[in-house]
Amino acid sequence: MRETNPWVNQYIRWGISIFPLKERDKKPILSWEEYQHRHPTAEEIQSWVSNGHRNWGAVCGAISGNLVVIDVDKEELFRELNLDDFAKETFTVRTGKGYHIYLRVDSPIRRKSLIWDGKEELRFQAEGSYVVACGSLHPTGKEYTHYDGSPVEIKKYSVSILEDIEKRWKRYHNLDKIEEKRKVIKESTTRGKDLEEFKRKVGMKLIEKYVEPKRRYYNYWQGLCPFHDDHNPSFTVYEDTNSWYCFGCQKYGDIINFIQEIEHLDFISAIKKIEDETGIEFFSREKDEETGEEKKKISHATLAEIILNMHHFITLRDTEEILWWDGKKWCFNGETKIKELCQRIIEEIGKMEKATNHIVNETIGYIQRRTYIERYLLNSNKRKIPLLNGIYDLETGELLPSSPDFFFTYCIPVEYDPSADCPKIKNFLKQILHEEDIPVLLQFIGYCLIPEQKFHKALMLIGDGANGKSTLISLIKRFLGPSNTTSISLQTLLENRFAVANLYGKLANLYADLPDETLKHTGLFKMITGGDTLSAEKKFKPHFEFEPTCKLIFSANKVPRTLDDTTAFFRRWILLNFPNKFEGDNRDPYILEKITTPEELSGFFNLVVQHLRWLLEKGEFIENKSTEEIREDYIRKSDPVRAFVMDYINQGRIIENPDAYVSKDELYAEFIKYCKKIKLPVPDKSVFGRSLKSVLPTIGETRKKIGGEMKRCWKGISLDVPKDEEQSEEEEWF
């Protein structure tokens, strides 16, 4: 007689619906579905027991008190998911290959399988399923036994415990990251209504023509990525959201992006390719009334959605100006870009020869209404610098990928190379400047890289012609980028109401050879350098308000005089003197090309950023003069001849006497020494002569015999410089 199962009565006491299975098998000997809805009668059980049935099935689900059996086959999974903790709390059976963990939940659930690499790894046996009961025999002959250490009772849990176990399983296989990425990618790949409907109809089946599925799950599958050398399936297709993501190369998109990428097509061509491959059309058709020819039809809304998927656009709420993303920065000619795209798309889909004004204007309006942002978002990230090969993070030193999300309207035309140097630029700066002035210049150029007026400073480069000022201005312009700079004189800025609008979004205003015109109204200059809110307008455009971040850099032979004698004006200036001349053999006509190679500019960026960090850490420029010192320096540099005469008269070095005279060459040489000693610009000899007459109107000109030679002289003054001082100055300067 066959041995009966000793656990049958225990299952009955637990209220579990049971039925007999085939001997040493998992299959029922009868139709078991009715026992999902009723318990077997005592007579049925007695009959089955008397027939000596050893193998029994335990029905899961509501009929057995919302019984759920966690069915796991792998020992490793049992340990890694900490299921052994449950085995200590509730009845658990050791199966042929794994475990059955019995528990009851507070609400009924359907059976669920967790599949990895095409195989069921973990099952929640619930409504609609059964398990082989304890005491039965596995087909291998091994008995289903009570797991040592587990109680002979079935504990009740919240159904959320199963969700927790599923999360553990997903973490075990890194599927939690796949699920998380699914949500992000879905949001990133959502398009307009018409395109979403097209994607829904097409689905993701077309991708299987290019990528073979290696692993399938509920609503996504994985294969080897076609976009990089992939050996472990990392290319993930989310069929329920019509999107894909590669965990290896981080590329992502939808079916349109995929076809664009793998077939090297633009957006419109990719849609056409999908139409050809699937037979599903995106563009509807209409018949031409004149020719009877059937042509593709497109609405302005669909046209706008296509354009929005080809390029990024934003619209400034205050002026309704449209900007478009060129891959490195936001550009202001967005409306022109849309017009160009409208014509191209309509021609490519074969609707008509040209885009009508009506559909173009409707498309522009649609894009504007979809893309409004506030102006303050532009260039608001003050510690990141957009470069050709990425976004440089000033705080961490990292190079981040370029992204429209930073809202930069400029890009420095330089590639970041942490190992680059700029020996030619360094040598050039040593030739044109006093060595102690180089650090403050580098700090100011670095200051131009951050969109803020934190230090309330402007820069004036001073010196007569052929001394490197214009070359330095050109170097800075090429470094920052011509499109990121403007060139407006200080006088024009202060007097032309439209001029200030040209500063918006620029890094620097670089103006060479500032005219020698007196500055009468300097309020706007102080507002610009102070970063105060300005109201600006462009011709035939609405006015707008902005906080200026454009740095002001001017060069001049002589600092312009000013009627503003306030501290607020003078403390804003950094004045740098250019003491040397480069003429004849000393002049290199190709110097600019030599110092603006890509390698030199990359090295210059490293040098400038180093000095910018010092500036930000210290909170002030290296040249930290008092306001009174700056005032005196400015006044002297605005009229160096007057400063020379007044100083020398006060010191008794120039003596006014109607009968006295001094050689013009001797006086000019003394003037040069004076200027170099206190870093003043040196005007040429003719300018010096004209200025001297305006300062000393009583002097005249004459010729005198000096040292046996006839020399041109100034009459009415004499020069008295001690011999020992004259000698020391000659040694110092010459």
Side-chain angles (χ1 to χ4, degrees):
M1 182 176 178
R2 289 181 294 181
E3 183 181 354
T4 59
N5 191 324
W7 284 91
V8 171
N9 288 333
Q10 183 61 57
Y11 275 75
I12 294 171
R13 284 194 292 272
W14 279 332
I16 296 175
S17 179
I18 59 174
F19 61 90
L21 304 176
K22 292 180 180 180
E23 196 67 21
R24 294 179 65 164
D25 204 337
K26 299 180 181 181
K27 297 177 181 178
I29 63 172
L30 46 74
S31 178
W32 71 280
E33 284 77 7
E34 64 178 295
Y35 299 107
Q36 295 180 68
H37 310 292
R38 72 172 181 87
H39 287 269
T41 64
E43 290 77 14
E44 287 175 311
I45 292 174
Q46 182 59 43
S47 172
W48 296 333
V49 169
S50 63
N51 286 331
H53 288 293
R54 175 70 182 269
N55 281 20
W56 293 78
V59 181
C60 302
I63 190 64
S64 298
N66 290 334
L67 176 68
V68 175
V69 177
I70 301 171
D71 184 358
V72 56
D73 288 337
K74 292 182 179 179
E75 180 73 33
E76 178 187 357
L77 206 59
F78 181 72
R79 304 295 176 191
E80 290 294 329
L81 301 186
N82 296 324
L83 297 180
D84 50 339
D85 291 342
F86 288 97
K88 297 172 185 176
E89 297 178 350
T90 188
F91 181 65
T92 301
V93 174
R94 193 75 168 86
T95 67
K97 295 185 293 181
Y99 300 87
H100 284 168
I101 303 170
Y102 287 64
L103 52 92
R104 285 191 164 101
V105 293
D106 49 14
S107 58
I109 66 166
R110 297 293 299 175
R111 180 186 186 277
K112 187 173 186 178
S113 293
L114 304 183
I115 301 172
W116 173 252
D117 208 9
K119 298 177 182 178
E120 287 186 321
E121 272 197 342
L122 191 66
R123 293 166 289 274
F124 297 146
Q125 305 287 12
E127 197 70 39
S129 65
Y130 67 89
V131 295
V132 179
C134 187
S136 302
L137 292 178
H138 192 268
T140 61
K142 188 175 181 180
E143 183 179 353
Y144 287 74
T145 59
H146 175 218
Y147 177 61
D148 187 30
S150 78
V152 186
E153 64 173 314
I154 299 174
K155 188 174 179 180
K156 187 173 183 178
Y157 295 87
S158 167
V159 73
S160 63
I161 198 69
L162 302 178
E163 296 172 2
D164 180 64
I165 293 171
E166 184 173 355
K167 287 179 181 177
R168 296 184 199 179
W169 178 78
K170 287 181 177 179
R171 281 197 298 271
Y172 174 71
H173 285 301
N174 287 324
L175 295 179
D176 55 331
K177 296 179 181 177
I178 295 176
E179 291 288 344
E180 288 172 11
K181 188 60 70 174
R182 170 180 168 273
K183 298 174 185 176
V184 175
I185 298 304
K186 179 184 178 182
E187 293 177 3
S188 301
T189 58
T190 299
R191 303 179 186 268
K193 179 181 176 182
D194 292 343
L195 286 167
E196 282 298 306
E197 178 62 18
F198 177 65
K199 284 164 52 180
R200 186 191 65 77
K201 291 178 181 177
V202 170
M204 303 296 279
K205 191 70 177 175
L206 181 57
I207 292 181
E208 295 185 31
K209 177 181 176 181
Y210 304 90
V211 181
E212 179 187 356
K214 298 291 186 182
R215 301 170 182 159
R216 285 193 179 274
Y217 309 99
Y218 315 119
N219 47 22
Y220 56 87
W221 56 264
Q222 290 185 304
L224 298 177
C225 180
F227 305 124
H228 77 283
D229 187 18
D230 194 8
H231 300 285
N232 183 38
S234 57
F235 183 84
T236 307
V237 175
Y238 301 100
E239 294 176 309
D240 61 334
T241 61
N242 290 317
S243 59
W244 57 270
Y245 178 80
C246 178
F247 286 86
C249 63
Q250 281 78 54
K251 289 186 177 181
Y252 67 91
D254 56 17
I255 184 64
I256 302 172
N257 297 127
F258 180 83
I259 296 300
Q260 280 185 272
E261 187 80 22
I262 203 156
E263 295 285 0
H264 307 291
L265 300 173
D266 62 21
F267 188 82
I268 297 296
S269 300
I271 289 180
K272 288 181 175 180
K273 176 72 174 177
I274 294 169
E275 286 182 325
D276 293 341
E277 291 287 338
T278 64
I280 299 170
E281 290 196 340
F282 172 67
F283 301 106
S284 59
R285 295 177 179 271
E286 65 177 9
K287 187 171 288 188
D288 189 296
E289 294 181 358
E290 294 182 2
T291 64
E293 182 184 356
E294 197 175 63
K295 290 189 175 182
K296 292 181 178 179
K297 177 184 177 182
I298 190 169
S299 68
H300 75 271
T302 300
L303 184 57
E305 288 297 340
I306 292 174
I307 290 173
L308 286 171
N309 281 279
M310 294 173 71
H311 290 281
H312 295 284
F313 289 90
I314 55 175
T315 302
L316 300 181
R317 196 181 300 277
D318 54 0
T319 59
E320 297 215 328
E321 291 174 281
I322 304 173
L323 288 76
W324 68 283
W325 173 253
D326 71 353
K328 302 292 182 185
K329 64 183 183 303
W330 286 99
C331 306
F332 268 89
N333 56 340
E335 194 166 316
T336 302
K337 186 69 176 178
I338 294 171
K339 291 177 181 178
E340 175 189 321
L341 290 170
C342 283
Q343 181 65 39
R344 177 185 146 202
I345 292 167
I346 287 175
E347 287 177 354
E348 285 190 9
I349 66 173
K351 182 180 185 295
M352 57 185 72
E353 292 184 0
K354 63 179 181 179
T356 64
N357 287 335
H358 173 73
I359 195 169
V360 169
N361 291 333
E362 289 293 313
T363 302
I364 290 172
Y366 184 99
I367 291 174
Q368 284 177 317
R369 293 187 292 273
R370 282 284 304 275
T371 59
Y372 283 123
I373 69 161
E374 300 298 337
R375 183 180 291 271
Y376 71 83
L377 291 173
L378 299 184
N379 306 322
S380 58
N381 202 316
K382 305 184 188 310
R383 294 298 176 266
K384 289 183 172 60
I385 304 170
L387 302 170
L388 290 178
N389 57 338
I391 306 288
Y392 182 79
D393 191 318
L394 195 57
E395 294 176 333
T396 66
E398 294 179 294
L399 189 68
L400 308 173
S402 298
S403 169
D405 296 335
F406 289 112
F407 293 111
F408 285 116
T409 61
Y410 59 87
C411 175
I412 309 299
V414 174
E415 288 199 352
Y416 175 60
D417 177 359
S419 64
D421 195 8
C422 53
K424 293 177 182 177
I425 292 178
K426 289 177 180 177
N427 186 56
F428 168 70
L429 296 179
K430 288 179 181 178
Q431 290 177 342
I432 64 172
L433 288 166
H434 295 293
E435 191 167 349
E436 62 269 25
D437 288 340
I438 294 175
V440 72
L441 171 70
L442 294 173
Q443 284 187 328
F444 197 90
I445 297 173
Y447 183 36
C448 293
L449 295 175
I450 58 174
E452 63 178 341
Q453 295 284 22
K454 186 179 182 69
F455 300 104
H456 302 181
K457 290 288 187 180
L459 179 64
M460 183 79 76
L461 312 176
I462 310 155
D464 207 10
N467 54 19
K469 299 191 309 297
S470 295
T471 303
L472 178 60
I473 291 280
S474 297
L475 167 63
I476 297 172
K477 187 172 186 176
R478 292 197 186 184
F479 174 66
L480 297 177
S483 63
N484 303 325
T485 63
T486 188
S487 182
I488 307 171
S489 75
L490 183 54
Q491 290 87 347
T492 301
L493 270 178
L494 301 180
E495 296 168 10
N496 186 325
R497 68 188 180 97
F498 293 113
V500 70
N502 294 315
L503 301 182
Y504 180 73
K506 303 297 183 182
L507 296 176
N509 179 67
L510 300 160
Y511 191 86
D513 297 323
L514 197 64
D516 183 17
E517 297 175 10
T518 300
L519 304 177
K520 299 175 182 178
H521 309 289
T522 59
L524 185 59
F525 165 75
K526 289 181 280 192
M527 292 180 72
I528 293 170
T529 52
D532 298 326
T533 300
L534 299 178
S535 181
E537 60 179 311
K538 298 177 182 178
K539 287 186 177 180
F540 313 116
K541 296 282 186 179
H543 95 283
F544 62 97
E545 293 186 346
F546 72 101
E547 293 181 1
T549 58
C550 180
K551 311 307 183 298
L552 303 181
I553 302 177
F554 305 101
S555 73
N557 292 340
K558 188 176 73 171
V559 177
R561 293 183 178 89
T562 177
L563 301 181
D564 187 345
D565 193 40
T566 64
T567 297
F569 173 77
F570 287 111
R571 70 178 175 82
R572 279 170 159 76
W573 285 105
I574 294 174
L575 307 175
L576 297 183
N577 185 47
F578 285 62
N580 303 318
K581 276 186 176 290
F582 302 93
E583 296 176 318
D585 293 340
N586 289 331
R587 178 179 175 271
D588 183 352
Y590 304 107
I591 184 63
L592 185 61
E593 285 69 28
K594 292 177 181 178
I595 62 177
T596 55
T597 64
E599 296 77 16
E600 282 284 320
L601 292 178
S602 290
F604 193 45
F605 176 80
N606 295 335
L607 181 64
V608 162
V609 163
Q610 179 186 10
H611 284 77
L612 173 58
R613 284 203 177 97
W614 292 346
L615 172 63
L616 294 173
E617 289 170 8
K618 189 175 181 182
E620 60 184 6
F621 283 91
I622 291 173
E623 186 194 60
N624 190 24
K625 292 181 179 179
S626 69
T627 303
E628 284 307 312
E629 289 174 319
I630 297 173
R631 182 199 305 270
E632 182 179 347
D633 195 27
Y634 186 98
I635 293 171
R636 286 178 179 277
K637 284 180 168 65
S638 66
D639 197 343
V641 177
R642 183 179 296 275
F644 166 69
V645 171
M646 294 300 100
D647 283 349
Y648 269 47
I649 287 176
N650 291 337
Q651 296 168 16
R653 299 184 178 203
I654 289 181
I655 301 168
E656 294 182 273
N657 184 330
D659 299 324
Y661 61 89
V662 62
S663 162
K664 286 188 175 183
D665 289 339
E666 182 184 359
L667 186 63
Y668 185 63
E670 188 64 29
F671 172 68
I672 291 174
K673 294 178 191 177
Y674 168 83
C675 290
K676 288 190 173 183
K677 189 171 185 178
I678 61 174
K679 298 182 182 179
L680 294 183
V682 182
D684 64 29
K685 197 171 184 179
S686 61
V687 174
F688 172 76
R690 290 195 298 271
S691 298
L692 186 66
K693 287 181 180 180
S694 68
V695 176
L696 297 172
T698 59
I699 66 172
E701 297 180 62
T702 186
R703 295 174 67 87
K704 294 286 184 179
K705 195 169 188 177
I706 301 174
E709 292 183 37
M710 293 298 294
K711 293 189 176 182
R712 296 168 63 86
C713 298
W714 293 109
K715 186 175 184 298
I717 57 172
S718 62
L719 184 64
D720 184 13
V721 178
K723 283 290 183 182
D724 56 344
E725 183 178 325
E726 185 176 332
Q727 178 65 28
S728 66
E729 286 178 351
E730 286 183 4
E731 290 173 355
E732 180 178 354
W733 296 111
F734 300 103

